[in-house]
Amino acid sequence: QVQLVESGGGSVQAGGSLRLSCAGFGKPYSMNCMGWFRQAPGKEREGVAQIEDYGTTRYADSVKGRFTISKDNAKNTLYLQMNSLKPEDTAMYYCAAVGYCPRPFYGYNFWGQGTQVTVSS
């Protein structure tokens, strides 16, 4: 029903920047709420940023002020601008979508394949 394709991961030194992109294919109403999640080795997956219908954004405390989520509705493309990257940001980053977000980082049913972000000190 919905296919999500991430791009833009890579390796960067601490303090650097990366921008992730996620192209969504499918019914737009199935992607009213979109978000970025990440999972580091040995850790649980965590929500990083979320953008809801009408543009409301939410961020994990660990990335507030450094990461910015945005969405181009005309292109069904989600972005995550990551600045001032830290080694602890190293993880596989996943794009996700759902038709409605009743609460932050909850209920996502469509997932991308992930893109690796590695931050070296």
Side-chain angles (χ1 to χ4, degrees), residues 10 13 18 20 28 31 39-40 47 67 91 98 100 102 109 112 115-116 118:
Q13 289 191 327
L18 284 173
L20 306 183
M31 296 180 276
Q39 188 168 20
F67 291 11
V98 66
Y100 170 64
N109 53 352
T115 185
Q116 178 68 36
T118 302

Side-chain angles (χ1 to χ4, degrees), residues 3-68:
Q3 184 182 9
L4 302 172
V5 181
E6 302 104 331
S7 60
S11 297
V12 66
Q13 289 191 327
S17 298
L18 284 173
R19 189 175 85 151
L20 306 183
S21 298
C22 172
F25 303 92
K27 300 292 186 183
Y29 59 75
S30 295
M31 296 180 276
N32 282 339
C33 189
M34 297 187 75
W36 290 98
F37 293 74
R38 66 186 181 186
Q39 188 168 20
K43 295 187 177 181
E44 292 188 356
R45 185 176 63 198
E46 63 174 348
V48 175
Q50 170 179 297
I51 185 165
E52 302 166 19
D53 204 8
Y54 302 114
T56 300
T57 57
R58 303 180 188 274
Y59 295 93
D61 288 342
S62 58
V63 306
K64 282 181 181 177
R66 300 188 298 122
F67 291 11
T68 302

Side-chain angles (χ1 to χ4, degrees), residues 79-103:
Y79 302 99
L80 185 68
Q81 179 65 44
M82 304 185 294
N83 297 329
S84 302
L85 283 161
K86 304 175 181 180
E88 50 264 44
D89 294 317
T90 295
M92 184 72 78
Y93 283 70
Y94 298 91
C95 171
V98 66
Y100 170 64
C101 290
R103 60 178 188 260

